[in-house]
Amino acid sequence: MTRRPLFPFSLLVATVISGAFLLLPLIAIFTRIPLSTLVDQLGNQVVLDALIVSVKTTLIAQALILLFGTPTAYLIATRQFRGRSLAITLIELPLVLPPAVAGIGLFAAFGRSGLLGSTLRVFGLELPFTQTAVVLAVAFVASPLYVRQAIASFEAVDQSLVDASRTLGASPARTFARIALPLAVGGLAAGAALAFARGLGEFGATIMFAGSFQGVTQTLPLAIYAEFENRFEVALAIGGLLVVISALLLVALKIRLPWTSSTSTSLFLSARSRSS
Amino acid sequence: MTRRPLFPFSLLVATVISGAFLLLPLIAIFTRIPLSTLVDQLGNQVVLDALIVSVKTTLIAQALILLFGTPTAYLIATRQFRGRSLAITLIELPLVLPPAVAGIGLFAAFGRSGLLGSTLRVFGLELPFTQTAVVLAVAFVASPLYVRQAIASFEAVDQSLVDASRTLGASPARTFARIALPLAVGGLAAGAALAFARGLGEFGATIMFAGSFQGVTQTLPLAIYAEFENRFEVALAIGGLLVVISALLLVALKIRLPWTSSTSTSLFLSARSRSS
Amino acid sequence: PRRTSAQIRVLAAASLTNVFPQIDSTQKYSFAGSDALAAQIRLGAPADVFASANTSIPNALYAQGFVEKPVVFTTNKLVLVVPTSNPAGIKTVFDLRQKGIKLLVGTPTVPIGIYTRTILKNLALTSVLSNVVSQETDVRQMLTKVALNEADAAFVYITDAKTVDDKVNVIRLPAWAQPPIRYGIAVLKSTQNRADAVAFINKVLAKAGQAKLRAAGFGAVKNGVTTYAGG
Amino acid sequence: MDILNIDITVPLRSFALELALPLGTETVALVGPSGAGKSTVLRAIAGLARPSRGAITHAGETWFSSERGINLAPEDRSVGLVFQEYALFPHMSVRRNIAYGGTNRVDELLERLHLGALADARPGQLSGGERQRVALARALARDPRVLLLDEPLTALDAHTKASVRAELRELLREIQLPTLLVTHDFEDAAVLAQQVGVIVDGSLVQIDTPAALVAAPANPFVASLTGANLVEGNARAHGDLTEVILDEGTTVYSTDSGTGRVGIVIYPWEITVSAGKPDDSSLNHVTGTITSLVTIDNRVRVQVGPLTAETSLGSAERLRLKEGGQVVASFKATATRLLPLLQPPR
Amino acid sequence: MDILNIDITVPLRSFALELALPLGTETVALVGPSGAGKSTVLRAIAGLARPSRGAITHAGETWFSSERGINLAPEDRSVGLVFQEYALFPHMSVRRNIAYGGTNRVDELLERLHLGALADARPGQLSGGERQRVALARALARDPRVLLLDEPLTALDAHTKASVRAELRELLREIQLPTLLVTHDFEDAAVLAQQVGVIVDGSLVQIDTPAALVAAPANPFVASLTGANLVEGNARAHGDLTEVILDEGTTVYSTDSGTGRVGIVIYPWEITVSAGKPDDSSLNHVTGTITSLVTIDNRVRVQVGPLTAETSLGSAERLRLKEGGQVVASFKATATRLLPLLQPPR
Ligand SMILES: Nc1ncnc2c1ncn2[C@@H]1O[C@H](COP(=O)(O)OP(=O)(O)OP(=O)(O)O)[C@@H](O)[C@H]1O
Ligand SMILES: Nc1ncnc2c1ncn2[C@@H]1O[C@H](COP(=O)(O)OP(=O)(O)OP(=O)(O)O)[C@@H](O)[C@H]1O
Ligand SMILES: [Mg+2]
Ligand SMILES: [Mg+2]
């Protein structure tokens, strides 16, 4: 009888340890920041500029990730082809790049002497050191997280609903927009949240590929670095601000659309029936 | 009739653009590395040291992530409690920290004058600048990716199988080990792959919390940084080596256990229903 | 009688990456940006010696009680680097006045940025700051970008420039305009091996050490101390 | 002698399940509409759902008691639960699935349930009937003292159902355990169980032998479950009999008593179809056109107005029944059962 | 006149589906064991599965032709497909589900299928029967020229199935469309369809009216589907008759011809049960003990040795049948059909 609670107890212990490990550093940062410093940052022009750049570039990057990542995920999720598992691995690979290497990779691909450099120059485009470069760097490091989750979410859409849509006269495009997309939206939102969090914290590839110029390419993480030397507390306070903003955004993203809870049972049932 | 193929065509275009965007930087890096340099690196003592440190710390971090993250995910996946969605958000939050801030957070939590500093000192532990610090830094940035996926995988295990195990006389611990774990293993492996990739590329938090001591805390990404001072090609070559190693490991992780292919669909499907 | 010395931990500015191990290969080094190292020290990092690429950081740490009194152990010089292909055709620093040049400088919050602004002021060239496309925190990043031919020019330390001289052309700057760039070194207050730490600093200050530094492009300290006092 | 005693309340989403049921070594079937709470009964007994009130005792041992704060974990109750979709472990062979419940009798059970040849197959490779047998073997491997079967036949093809049902019937008879069997299907209940309990909206509305349920359905649901015609009308006393004016106009008589709004229950096989009013003892006659005529086995189902009558293939041919034809459907007053209409029939 | 012409081969995992079927404005039911390829037929017609060979034409328009390289997309074929689990869009109201197929007739269909009150409900809030009606309404909203129903009744409770089936029968009769209906259940097929096609392992083994299938099942599967007893034995000629020695020993006679290993098909309602050898024209008699006795409706199923006989409740009571009692099961030689045993019966 005394042995019984051992398992739930060890689960709890492991959870407390994991939770403490992941949260303590966050909490510790806040204990180092005088609250007044945190609030003051909202009046600091450098921080305000960086905030605007961060929000703007992250939102544009996010939009691009959704715009290109969603169809990519849909294609991979709905088509059977050889090398599918390899394709998913390739999508995951950018995650492994150390940030500076990622930045160099972006230079080597999209820089002025990069693979596409001359092509881009024909169109009058020079990407490095522009806000576009920030967007590309963020998109590069964050999109694998979204695309991977999106593939799983689209795979989870009941195929018979897609088939039903087609037999009801809907084109593949209409089926995607009216059926697959609304039904996958919960998983897509979760993936977008991960990508968004990663993008907002992105530093290494950005400073390499886009540089750091206040009001143009200096995002919040870059501003933190610039402030390290001078005013350590200010740097930390910007970090704190970043955490608070991201937490609010993540929670907001978690607010699911109204119908998703009611569909869960029926999806579940049809899912099971297919598996059995 | 001409309008019909527009949708599949635009899917394909989006996929080609996404794929090119994610792969071009990788390919471009390799075009910059003379193959001989890449091979030479395997004889470079700095690289060998760094490779050993990287493999060792990443494996230990991975083991810790699996050891603590798996029960955490199981608990969160199987218990209904208030603030569950908040708990998942908190787990995602470390992703948003710029790496240097994460390193500072680790210092502030586990450093000598950190929150747990005095407690750790009682046990004679001083973490910063040790290999343990590398492990912690890697675990901190990589574990959210694993835990999040693991929660989804455990949620996807058919509840009736768990119930069946209990009515057949199995304790919760045996049910976890013999039913939930084997059935979730595909998803867990995918999550572990993501975390592994992220951990192997980790730079910012490591250099801050663990320093860059050759043979002790200098991982491959830190060695790349150090070699920038020295020989540019060598740095890139190490980056290329890292990509090759990771790709091999990721593909190896994708080789699923024999029965998972048949259950993978159902896991996915039921996962959706509960998460949405 | 010499006691057996323990390995000490040296936190040193990234520009010292190659030279310090040449001076003493037995110690444990961690090379990073001086500001990041300062942050680590403030957070209680367990190390023994701090070698910074400037004097203001060690002085500030000294004032805050984190390190003993720092001494200057070497100096450095600013140079302008351009890619070997030199697409903007920059021959001298005055060519930076052309419009549309992609110029990299350090941010005003890091030493390289402060020095760069000083030298530009001395040269009456502050107008070229309008050509700046990025204010960087890390000299190596700047060098990498120039080496990759992605930026047209950058102000960096001569010692860093030397490490990639096959990828960049170094344009020297007039000596009269150079700001004093002095590297400070100090023992950490929290060290457990003060004797070994002092011994290491003395090794750097000694003739052999200074010779190695000069070979790497660093400058000699005029009227510099040859033994570390601390305090 | 009752072995398992159940008296519980389980709160559900929109109502509470309330059940008091003593069980000996017999098979009791639970039937009822979807969502009535049938599975919940089994889950509560197995320890997978926690009642808010009451007690479950087995041969003197308390498995659950709200008063005494006892709630044994599922693994500590000796029940064999067969899930509706069988819930076989997909990653284990048939043999390992069975051994999961207990290793002593694996070979015996493999043989007894004709699974020997399939011992090394994975559940995904089995047919529905084979899966059902594995699920049963696995539940029995635990040596359970109570057997709970949740719709064991629903997942089966119609053409295998009959034979699996016959096998299951044999098995239940042999093992002599208190058995609760949930089903949607009255025919399954009738074949497999000695007693049939009808659960509607969480309440046990009737429990009796299958024959008794057919003879006297206590409510409209039971009536429609057993295959009866159910029509509505207004009743008033008429001498010894009750006169009921059907909503569609016809007047019929019943030996049951009742007034006001009532449901009228008549089984198809108690309705005779003839060309004109027959010369027999039937008191009730409904004249109408045949709207549908369906042959099932050797019987013909004839739809006349609101009523379905059943007649043999032979007499249907003799009467030359055809759709659109005018016929009289006759049935006795004794075969016309009346039900109070407490709730609108579903 | 045939409107829809199907002649296709679809390669499946372990066999190929081969089907040639012309269809007028009638309902054809497809029955067969699980995995036989029934759903694949519907999917191929709807354009969701691509045949490897053949053609599908509708009133002169080619939907698929391997020769001419034509393969219309599902949205360009005018079919209404009702999926087995209905596949209603969970994120849309009933009205929007129906309007998805076409907006012209939504209100008419809501009314016609008694869904007016549910127009704003989400599928998750509907009962099985309601969902089935929504699925049907949605398929009809497209104004389809062919209706395909995949097990439309399987997901329903037993007690609602009969009424939903009757409604569906009415509807199919009204709309006058070529209709293919997949089912596991011969009774559903008999009620809803004019013709029943039996598919086993991808081949159409028999297609005929329900009554004809019962009268002359072409193979063991059809026999067991229609509810027959199926036993095996060795046959040889015996004058005009065929003499069959059953595996269990008894000798029976059949008017069908056959030699060697055969399957013997006898329907339960063609077997009479009596205490001793009856004085009637039955040539075949099997003596044995009653192993099971089950009452269904007003009939009693009596298991005697390998045979199930069906008798009325009245005669069962008259004969005082009880389990373990010794009886004789008798049936005529004309009611004893012989089948070649090409493949081992399932
Ligand atoms: N955990 C729960 N908490 C509250 N209500 C529940 C829970 N599980 C199920 N219910 C509800 O309880 C009711 C009874 O469910 P149950 O599964 O027992 O029905 P059932 O009679 O077995 O139905 P079916 O024939 O469809 O299997 C349903 O209305 C269901 O929505
Ligand atoms: N895409 C496919 N490719 C190859 N084989 C398939 C495919 N889909 C199904 N099958 C196989 O084809 C066979 C027929 O499947 P189908 O769904 O048509 O059977 P069914 O008769 O409808 O069965 P059920 O009654 O169980 O619904 C099955 O054995 C199945 O495993
Ligand atoms: Mg149930
Ligand atoms: Mg099917």
Side-chain angles (χ1 to χ4, degrees):
Chain A
M1 273 317 209
T2 47
R3 273 191 60 221
R4 173 75 38 67
L6 193 64
F7 177 70
F9 181 71
S10 38
L11 280 190
L12 200 65
V13 167
T15 306
V16 168
I17 292 176
S18 307
F21 174 63
L22 289 177
L23 290 186
L24 263 182
L26 288 176
I27 295 167
I29 287 175
F30 283 97
T31 64
R32 297 265 167 157
I33 313 169
L35 189 67
S36 60
T37 319
L38 190 69
V39 176
D40 284 352
Q41 294 325 307
L42 293 171
N44 178 339
Q45 189 57 43
V46 173
V47 174
L48 282 183
D49 280 350
L51 186 62
I52 290 170
V53 172
S54 263
V55 169
K56 190 171 157 193
T57 53
T58 314
L59 285 183
I60 296 177
Q62 195 70 19
L64 290 177
I65 291 173
L66 296 181
L67 194 67
F68 288 97
T70 311
T72 303
Y74 189 65
L75 194 82
I76 293 179
T78 52
R79 261 59 158 193
Q80 299 298 324
F81 54 93
R82 282 163 60 86
R84 191 165 169 279
S85 154
L86 184 73
I88 295 177
T89 301
L90 287 177
I91 285 172
E92 285 168 353
L93 219 44
L95 280 178
V96 86
L97 283 187
V101 178
I104 292 174
L106 288 169
F107 268 135
F110 307 112
R112 68 178 174 189
S113 45
L115 288 182
L116 294 190
S118 47
T119 316
L120 288 168
R121 205 164 26 245
V122 169
F123 295 98
L125 286 173
E126 265 207 1
L127 299 180
F129 307 119
T130 62
Q131 224 165 47
T132 310
V134 181
V135 170
L136 291 185
V138 169
F140 183 70
V141 297
S143 57
L145 295 176
Y146 174 74
V147 176
R148 225 195 164 285
Q149 171 77 49
I151 292 173
S153 307
F154 281 125
E155 278 178 340
V157 172
D158 189 344
Q159 181 61 30
S160 71
L161 297 181
V162 173
D163 288 346
S165 170
R166 298 294 300 281
T167 63
L168 289 167
S171 64
R174 187 163 185 244
T175 302
F176 171 73
R178 300 271 318 264
I179 306 300
L181 208 52
L183 290 175
V185 78
L188 299 185
L194 279 183
F196 188 82
R198 177 72 185 84
L200 212 51
E202 159 50 28
F203 169 76
T206 309
I207 196 161
M208 179 62 84
F209 186 50
S212 172
F213 200 92
Q214 188 186 336
V216 182
T217 60
Q218 189 176 64
T219 59
L220 278 177
L222 301 190
I224 293 174
Y225 270 75
E227 292 294 336
F228 259 161
E229 165 76 2
N230 266 4
R231 294 167 299 169
F232 190 59
E233 270 82 21
V234 171
L236 276 193
I238 306 176
L241 203 66
L242 191 58
V243 170
V244 172
I245 294 172
S246 329
L248 291 179
L249 285 170
L250 285 178
V251 168
L253 264 173
K254 292 270 156 62
I255 298 170
R256 299 289 162 75
L257 300 174
W259 70 81
T260 47
S261 60
S262 67
T263 62
S264 62
T265 326
S266 68
L267 281 174
F268 188 55
L269 290 172
S270 45
R272 291 234 39 236
S273 62
R274 257 210 265 169
S275 69
S276 57
Chain B
M1 269 322 207
T2 46
R3 274 190 61 222
R4 172 78 37 67
L6 193 63
F7 177 70
F9 182 70
S10 38
L11 280 190
L12 200 67
V13 167
T15 305
V16 168
I17 291 176
S18 306
F21 175 61
L22 289 176
L23 290 185
L24 260 184
L26 288 175
I27 295 166
I29 287 176
F30 283 97
T31 64
R32 298 268 170 147
I33 313 169
L35 188 67
S36 60
T37 320
L38 190 69
V39 177
D40 285 351
Q41 295 323 308
L42 293 171
N44 178 338
Q45 189 58 42
V46 174
V47 174
L48 282 183
D49 280 351
L51 186 61
I52 291 169
V53 172
S54 263
V55 168
K56 189 169 157 195
T57 54
T58 312
L59 285 183
I60 297 176
Q62 195 71 19
L64 289 177
I65 291 173
L66 295 180
L67 194 67
F68 288 96
T70 310
T72 304
Y74 190 63
L75 195 83
I76 293 179
T78 54
R79 263 59 160 192
Q80 297 299 323
F81 54 91
R82 281 164 60 86
R84 190 164 169 279
S85 153
L86 185 72
I88 296 178
T89 301
L90 288 176
I91 285 171
E92 286 168 352
L93 218 45
L95 279 179
V96 86
L97 282 186
V101 178
I104 293 173
L106 287 167
F107 249 123
F110 307 112
R112 182 147 59 179
S113 49
L115 289 182
L116 293 190
S118 48
T119 317
L120 289 168
R121 203 159 35 239
V122 170
F123 295 98
L125 285 174
E126 210 169 66
L127 301 180
F129 293 171
T130 62
Q131 226 165 47
T132 312
V134 182
V135 171
L136 291 185
V138 169
F140 183 72
V141 297
S143 57
L145 294 176
Y146 173 73
V147 176
R148 223 194 166 287
Q149 171 79 49
I151 292 173
S153 308
F154 281 126
E155 278 179 339
V157 172
D158 190 343
Q159 180 61 29
S160 72
L161 297 180
V162 172
D163 287 345
S165 169
R166 298 293 300 281
T167 64
L168 289 167
S171 65
R174 187 162 184 246
T175 302
F176 170 74
R178 300 272 317 267
I179 307 298
L181 209 52
L183 289 176
V185 78
L188 299 185
L194 279 184
F196 188 83
R198 177 73 184 84
L200 212 52
E202 161 48 31
F203 170 77
T206 311
I207 197 166
M208 180 58 80
F209 187 48
S212 173
F213 295 98
Q214 190 190 337
V216 184
T217 65
Q218 192 175 69
T219 58
L220 279 177
L222 300 188
I224 292 172
Y225 181 73
E227 286 298 321
F228 271 139
E229 186 70 20
N230 233 337
R231 287 164 302 167
F232 189 66
E233 272 83 16
V234 172
L236 274 191
I238 306 176
L241 204 64
L242 191 59
V243 170
V244 172
I245 294 172
S246 326
L248 292 178
L249 285 170
L250 284 179
V251 169
L253 265 172
K254 291 271 157 58
I255 297 169
R256 299 286 163 78
L257 301 174
W259 71 84
T260 47
S261 61
S262 64
T263 62
S264 66
T265 327
S266 68
L267 282 174
F268 257 138
L269 289 172
S270 41
R272 285 231 48 233
S273 59
R274 259 207 270 168
S275 69
S276 55
Chain C
R2 275 185 62 92
R3 60 179 195 88
T4 54
S5 58
Q7 268 193 325
I8 60 162
R9 282 176 175 151
V10 179
L11 304 184
S15 50
L16 300 164
T17 301
N18 290 324
V19 68
F20 264 21
Q22 290 172 18
I23 294 173
D24 185 346
S25 63
T26 60
Q27 311 302 347
K28 295 195 279 185
Y29 298 101
S30 179
F31 298 101
S34 301
D35 50 347
L37 297 173
Q40 291 173 328
I41 290 167
R42 287 198 177 89
L43 289 161
D48 305 293
V49 172
F50 172 46
S52 173
N54 62 6
T55 50
S56 59
I57 294 179
N59 284 340
L61 290 175
Y62 172 56
Q64 291 158 2
F66 289 106
V67 300
E68 296 184 12
K69 192 167 171 32
V71 298
V72 174
F73 70 95
T74 195
T75 64
N76 211 339
K77 271 207 213 84
L78 281 189
V79 292
L80 187 67
V81 291
V82 297
T84 42
S85 60
N86 198 1
I90 295 163
K91 300 268 165 18
T92 78
V93 66
F94 298 99
D95 294 337
L96 292 179
R97 283 178 298 200
Q98 302 168 33
K99 280 241 152 45
I101 283 180
K102 291 187 191 302
L103 175 64
L104 305 179
V105 299
T107 91
T109 58
V110 299
I112 185 71
I114 297 167
Y115 298 140
T116 302
R117 279 168 183 74
T118 308
I119 205 167
L120 287 174
K121 206 160 128 207
N122 294 345
L123 291 167
L125 276 175
T126 47
S127 62
V128 308
L129 286 175
S130 63
N131 277 333
V132 168
V133 292
S134 176
Q135 307 205 340
E136 308 263 331
T137 52
D138 190 327
V139 176
R140 281 181 226 187
Q141 293 253 354
M142 290 194 266
L143 270 172
T144 302
K145 292 172 200 186
V146 173
L148 286 171
N149 190 29
E150 296 294 345
D152 295 325
F155 286 96
V156 299
Y157 299 121
I158 187 168
T159 53
D160 291 298
K162 279 191 141 186
T163 62
V164 282
D165 53 13
D166 58 330
K167 291 260 184 331
V168 300
N169 291 337
V170 176
I171 298 173
R172 294 189 173 260
L173 301 174
W176 58 267
Q178 290 278 353
I181 301 173
R182 292 176 307 188
Y183 281 47
I185 192 165
V187 172
L188 268 68
K189 280 270 174 64
S190 61
T191 181
Q192 314 281 314
N193 309 301
R194 188 172 185 280
D196 296 315
V198 170
F200 172 76
I201 293 178
N202 285 336
K203 213 168 172 181
V204 172
L205 294 173
K207 261 208 185 104
Q210 292 294 310
K212 289 269 166 38
L213 280 165
R214 271 198 303 278
F218 289 94
V221 188
K222 279 178 203 131
N223 310 321
V225 295
T226 50
T227 51
Y228 183 71
Chain D
M1 205 209 54
D2 299 329
I3 297 173
L4 185 68
N5 267 290
I6 306 153
D7 176 10
I8 49 171
T9 304
V10 189
L12 294 174
R13 224 182 300 285
S14 44
F15 51 82
L17 168 73
E18 309 242 12
L19 186 85
L21 188 72
L23 205 65
T25 56
E26 72 205 320
T27 299
V28 173
L30 295 178
V31 296
S34 190
K38 306 179 297 294
S39 297
T40 306
V41 174
L42 304 197
R43 295 177 59 83
I45 298 172
L48 297 172
R50 190 189 178 124
S52 62
R53 184 210 63 76
I56 302 170
T57 59
H58 177 273
E61 184 190 17
T62 302
W63 285 359
F64 174 80
S65 162
S66 58
E67 262 172 36
R68 293 164 55 200
I70 295 174
N71 186 20
L72 289 198
E75 60 267 32
D76 297 327
R77 307 181 182 198
S78 194
V79 303
L81 175 53
V82 174
F83 291 73
Q84 175 165 359
E85 303 267 340
Y86 308 140
L88 299 181
F89 303 134
H91 56 304
M92 297 182 186
S93 68
V94 165
R95 177 184 293 279
R96 286 187 54 219
N97 259 283
I98 298 173
Y100 197 90
T103 48
N104 294 336
R105 304 170 49 201
V106 176
D107 288 313
E108 175 206 331
L109 284 166
L110 278 172
E111 193 180 335
R112 178 153 162 202
L113 287 156
H114 318 297
L115 291 167
L118 300 169
D120 296 318
R122 283 268 159 73
Q125 303 158 346
L126 304 183
S127 77
E130 289 161 352
R131 281 184 213 195
Q132 200 265 5
R133 295 207 300 272
V134 177
L136 209 53
R138 190 179 65 172
L140 292 174
R142 216 205 149 174
D143 260 327
R145 287 173 292 172
V146 174
L147 197 58
L148 306 173
L149 310 173
D150 200 351
E151 312 205 14
L153 305 174
T154 307
L156 302 181
D157 280 9
H159 71 284
T160 54
K161 194 168 165 169
S163 64
V164 175
R165 186 163 67 186
E167 284 172 25
L168 183 58
R169 184 183 148 93
E170 276 317 295
L171 191 86
L172 291 179
R173 186 170 307 192
E174 270 175 48
I175 56 178
Q176 288 281 326
L177 283 177
T179 301
L180 268 179
L181 175 136
V182 167
T183 173
H184 272 128
D185 193 54
F186 187 71
E187 189 165 329
D188 290 345
V191 172
L192 295 169
Q194 284 83 55
Q195 296 263 312
V196 178
V198 181
I199 298 186
V200 178
D201 287 351
S203 309
L204 193 65
V205 294
Q206 191 170 10
I207 180 163
D208 216 325
T209 62
L213 284 189
V214 171
N219 95 357
F221 172 77
V222 182
S224 69
L225 188 77
T226 52
N229 287 289
L230 184 67
V231 290
E232 292 182 35
N234 288 304
R236 61 169 188 209
H238 181 93
D240 284 354
L241 298 174
T242 306
E243 177 191 84
V244 188
I245 300 165
L246 303 186
D247 289 355
E248 133 278 10
T250 320
T251 303
V252 298
Y253 299 90
S254 168
T255 46
D256 288 1
S257 58
T259 46
R261 198 95 193 121
V262 291
I264 300 101
V265 172
I266 316 131
Y267 286 97
W269 53 87
E270 293 178 324
I271 301 176
T272 348
V273 177
S274 47
K277 274 200 187 171
D279 219 16
D280 64 9
S281 56
S282 298
L283 202 56
N284 296 321
H285 307 282
V286 175
T287 308
T289 51
I290 298 177
T291 51
S292 125
L293 203 65
V294 177
T295 308
I296 296 162
D297 295 353
N298 62 335
R299 289 158 290 139
V300 178
R301 285 185 169 252
V302 188
Q303 184 77 30
V304 184
L307 298 178
T308 303
E310 196 173 282
T311 170
S312 72
L313 198 52
S315 47
E317 276 163 10
R318 208 172 334 105
L319 288 164
R320 296 216 179 79
L321 296 181
K322 64 173 195 295
E323 291 192 18
Q326 189 87 4
V327 287
V328 179
S330 314
F331 46 100
K332 299 182 186 173
T334 50
T336 307
R337 296 174 186 85
L338 299 188
L339 284 178
L341 277 182
L342 293 178
Q343 56 210 121
R346 298 167 168 244
Chain E
M1 206 208 56
D2 299 330
I3 296 173
L4 185 68
N5 267 291
I6 307 154
D7 176 10
I8 49 173
T9 304
V10 188
L12 295 174
R13 224 181 303 284
S14 43
F15 51 82
L17 168 73
E18 309 242 11
L19 188 84
L21 189 71
L23 204 65
T25 57
E26 72 207 319
T27 300
V28 172
L30 294 176
V31 298
S34 191
K38 307 181 293 297
S39 298
T40 306
V41 175
L42 303 199
R43 295 177 58 81
I45 298 172
L48 298 172
R50 191 188 176 123
S52 61
R53 183 210 64 76
I56 302 171
T57 56
H58 177 275
E61 185 190 16
T62 302
W63 285 359
F64 174 82
S65 164
S66 59
E67 262 172 39
R68 292 165 52 201
I70 296 176
N71 185 20
L72 289 198
E75 60 267 29
D76 298 326
R77 306 180 183 200
S78 196
V79 302
L81 175 53
V82 174
F83 290 74
Q84 176 164 359
E85 304 267 340
Y86 308 141
L88 299 181
F89 304 131
H91 57 304
M92 297 183 187
S93 66
V94 165
R95 178 185 292 279
R96 283 189 53 221
N97 259 283
I98 298 174
Y100 196 90
T103 48
N104 294 336
R105 302 171 49 201
V106 176
D107 287 311
E108 175 206 330
L109 285 165
L110 279 171
E111 193 180 335
R112 178 151 163 203
L113 288 155
H114 316 297
L115 291 167
L118 300 169
D120 297 319
R122 283 267 156 74
Q125 303 159 346
L126 304 183
S127 77
E130 290 160 353
R131 280 183 214 195
Q132 199 265 3
R133 294 208 299 271
V134 177
L136 209 53
R138 190 178 65 173
L140 293 175
R142 214 202 153 175
D143 261 327
R145 286 172 293 173
V146 173
L147 197 58
L148 306 172
L149 309 173
D150 200 350
E151 312 205 15
L153 304 172
T154 307
L156 301 181
D157 281 9
H159 71 282
T160 53
K161 193 169 166 169
S163 64
V164 175
R165 187 164 66 188
E167 282 171 26
L168 183 58
R169 184 182 148 91
E170 277 315 297
L171 191 86
L172 292 179
R173 183 166 311 190
E174 270 174 49
I175 56 177
Q176 289 280 330
L177 284 177
T179 300
L180 268 179
L181 176 135
V182 166
T183 174
H184 272 129
D185 193 54
F186 187 70
E187 188 166 329
D188 291 345
V191 172
L192 294 170
Q194 283 85 52
Q195 296 263 313
V196 179
V198 182
I199 298 187
V200 178
D201 288 349
S203 311
L204 192 67
V205 294
Q206 192 170 11
I207 179 163
D208 216 325
T209 63
L213 285 189
V214 172
N219 96 355
F221 171 77
V222 181
S224 70
L225 186 80
T226 52
N229 288 289
L230 184 68
V231 290
E232 292 180 35
N234 289 305
R236 61 169 188 210
H238 181 92
D240 281 356
L241 296 176
T242 308
E243 176 192 81
V244 188
I245 301 166
L246 302 186
D247 289 355
E248 134 276 13
T250 321
T251 301
V252 299
Y253 299 91
S254 168
T255 46
D256 287 3
S257 57
T259 46
R261 198 94 196 119
V262 291
I264 300 99
V265 172
I266 316 132
Y267 285 97
W269 53 87
E270 293 179 323
I271 302 177
T272 347
V273 175
S274 47
K277 272 203 188 171
D279 220 18
D280 63 10
S281 57
S282 298
L283 201 58
N284 297 320
H285 308 282
V286 175
T287 308
T289 51
I290 298 177
T291 52
S292 129
L293 203 64
V294 177
T295 308
I296 295 161
D297 296 354
N298 61 334
R299 289 158 291 140
V300 177
R301 285 185 169 252
V302 188
Q303 184 76 32
V304 184
L307 298 178
T308 302
E310 195 173 279
T311 169
S312 74
L313 196 54
S315 49
E317 275 162 11
R318 210 173 331 104
L319 289 164
R320 293 218 183 76
L321 297 182
K322 65 173 195 293
E323 291 190 16
Q326 188 88 4
V327 288
V328 180
S330 315
F331 45 98
K332 302 183 184 172
T334 50
T336 307
R337 297 171 184 87
L338 299 188
L339 285 180
L341 278 183
L342 293 179
Q343 57 211 117
R346 301 171 164 237

